Structure formats: structure tokens, C-alpha cells
Amino acid sequence: MPELPEVETTRRKLLPLLLGRRILEVRHQDPLRYRHTERAEGRRVEGVGRRGKFLLLSLSGGLEMVLHLGMTGGFRLEETPHTRVRFLLEKGVLYFHDPRRFGRIWVVERGDHREIPLLSRLGPEPLSEAFTFPGFLQGLRSARPLKALLLDQTRVAGMGNIYADEALFRARLSPLRPGRSLGEEEAWRLFQAIREVLSEAVALGGSTLSDRAYRQPDGLPGSFQERHAVYGRAGLPCPACGAPIARRVVAGRGTHFCPNCQGESP
């Protein structure tokens, strides 16, 4: 957390607040985590974009502010006990809230991502035309388990733990299966499930979990968590067959699935 739907929701909510406005001052006390932010001062925001889990603010003068929300980061319209950065704008103030301090900010020359190597290696955006079935199918030709492949940002940009679990459930595929074991029809089901799950999650403002860490900039929670079929539901009945949802650790991440609907082995 946050994953593509939460970052995209944040982008959409920030767009009317930032576009065309000048950043007057950026205040924080952590120059190692929030790098070169003084370069943004006096610049006008010319665009608010997203790439994978990164927010990209195009600034006047050919600069770019790159933001990664980390595990608990997000923007607020009011100050909180966990405010880490204050953005003074021409009209109003925007606060970067990050309880666990994993968020990062860089101000760089536009398109110069040498300080952020992952940004240059991201795979296609799964809700864009660049995400094609032939390319996705080729990326599955691996002995790694499906869950690990979906979390690999070089294959699908922006996918994370929640939406990988939900997409695999909709495709009725075990997260433990090697990618190369899938037939073309199974791979197509997964390709479609990824797009469906992410589209629905974006439309519903993302997922706000029990820790309440993620909220939209206006303070509203997401609501896609109400549609979670497997994620965070270990031991509860599968909504399709009633069998208990299982939890395993795959690729170092807690992974939820239905052993009956999805199978536990290839």
C-alpha cells in the first residue's frame, strides 16, 4: 500500500488542487528523504501524472517532482501528527502525511531519473494500450510463481499485493503456479482479470484497510475493500465456494487465495 489504484486516485484528487498553481515553499526537515525540493520553489505545476506507483509533477522551467508514497504516505488538506512535508501554494497549503516515513520525494530535471532507477525500468501500465496480451504472455515464461511475476514492476507497473491476489482469484489461478505452466487461455483470463480489478478499484477510490492508513487527499476512504474476495480474509469463507481462504507467503509477501477455486499446486 498504496498501489496503482490508490496512487491514481490521489493523482486525480490532486489535479485540480495543483494544476497551474505555483509552489511557493516546500518545508521539511529531512533533506535525504526529500531531495532537492528547494528547486521546486517558485515553479508552477504544469502537469500531474503517474507512472506505476510514482506521482510525477511537471514543473515550469523543465523540472519534475517525483513522489513515491511508500507504505503509508498520502496527501492531506489539513495538518496531521504525521505531517512530514508542507507545500505552500499560491492558494492554500498541501500536507504530505507519512506515519512510517517510507515516502520519498525528488526534484530532478524532467525525465532524468538516474536517482530513481526503478522508474526507468517499469513495465507497461496495465490500464493503457501499452499493456498487450502478447507482451504479457511472454513475461509469464518463467519458473517463478505467478504472485512473484505480478509483483515484478518490470512486468506490470503498479501492481501490488492486494490487487495481485484479487486478480488471481478472479482468474481462478493459484498464486503458487509457475508462470510458464499457464496455457494461453489461462493467461488471457489473468490478463483480463488484472485490467478488470484495477479499473474497478480506481473507480471506487482504492482500498482503505483496517489500519485506515490510506485515505484520499480530501480525507475520504476508498471502498474497493468491500469487494475483496480473498485479500485479508484468511480463514473466512470463499465468496464463490465457501471453502476457507488460505494464506501463504509467496515472494516474501502474505498471499491469500482459495485452495478450492484456485488450486494449491500446478
Side-chain angles (χ1 to χ4, degrees), residues 163 204 206-209 212 221-229:
Y163 302 104
L204 293 172
S207 299
T208 296
L209 305 181
R212 314 298 287 175
S223 58
F224 187 73
Q225 68 277 4
E226 297 171 8
R227 297 193 183 184
H228 289 179

Side-chain angles (χ1 to χ4, degrees), residues 59-81:
L59 306 178
S60 58
L63 295 183
E64 181 179 60
M65 180 178 287
V66 181
L67 306 102
H68 193 279
L69 304 182
M71 294 179 66
T72 59
F75 285 89
R76 300 288 188 272
L77 303 182
E78 297 181 354
E79 193 162 6
T80 76

Side-chain angles (χ1 to χ4, degrees), residues 228-251:
H228 289 179
V230 290
Y231 182 81
R233 301 187 70 248
L236 296 176
C238 169
C241 73
I245 299 298
R247 183 185 185 278
R248 301 283 186 276
V249 176
V250 184

Side-chain angles (χ1 to χ4, degrees), residues 24-144:
L24 302 180
E25 188 176 4
V26 185
R27 296 179 183 173
H28 60 81
Q29 297 181 341
D30 192 344
L32 294 178
R33 192 172 299 280
Y34 312 120
R35 299 179 61 82
H36 314 305
T37 55
E38 70 282 355
R39 300 181 70 191
E41 296 178 350
R43 309 281 183 170
R44 194 174 299 280
V45 179
E46 298 179 339
V48 182
R50 180 191 57 75
R51 185 74 173 95
K53 301 177 186 179
F54 292 87
L55 286 169
L56 307 175
L57 306 186
S58 297
L59 306 178
S60 58
L63 295 183
E64 181 179 60
M65 180 178 287
V66 181
L67 306 102
H68 193 279
L69 304 182
M71 294 179 66
T72 59
F75 285 89
R76 300 288 188 272
L77 303 182
E78 297 181 354
E79 193 162 6
T80 76
H82 300 294
T83 292
R84 307 302 178 194
V85 186
R86 296 167 180 82
F87 295 87
L88 279 65
L89 309 173
E90 279 182 320
K91 296 180 181 179
V93 183
L94 190 62
Y95 302 93
F96 181 65
H97 161 98
D98 188 9
R100 298 186 64 181
R101 299 177 184 262
F102 287 111
R104 295 287 302 276
I105 300 174
W106 302 262
V107 177
V108 298
E109 297 293 324
R110 195 174 302 170
D112 182 359
H113 301 146
R114 286 174 292 179
E115 291 187 62
I116 322 156
L118 174 60
L119 190 51
S120 301
R121 301 197 307 268
L122 290 176
E125 291 288 330
L127 297 180
S128 75
E129 292 183 358
F131 186 57
T132 66
F133 180 63
F136 178 68
L137 184 63
Q138 181 63 34
L140 294 178
R141 301 309 184 208
S142 168
R144 297 167 68 194

Side-chain angles (χ1 to χ4, degrees), residues 147 161-173 175 197 224-241 243-248 254-262:
K147 178 65 178 283
N161 210 30
I162 295 172
Y163 302 104
D165 283 0
E166 293 299 314
L168 286 164
F169 174 77
R170 290 202 189 187
R172 299 298 191 264
L173 294 170
V197 165
F224 187 73
Q225 68 277 4
E226 297 171 8
R227 297 193 183 184
H228 289 179
V230 290
Y231 182 81
R233 301 187 70 248
L236 296 176
C238 169
C241 73
I245 299 298
R247 183 185 185 278
R248 301 283 186 276
T255 298
H256 303 82
F257 63 104
C258 173
N260 185 47
C261 292
Q262 297 171 258

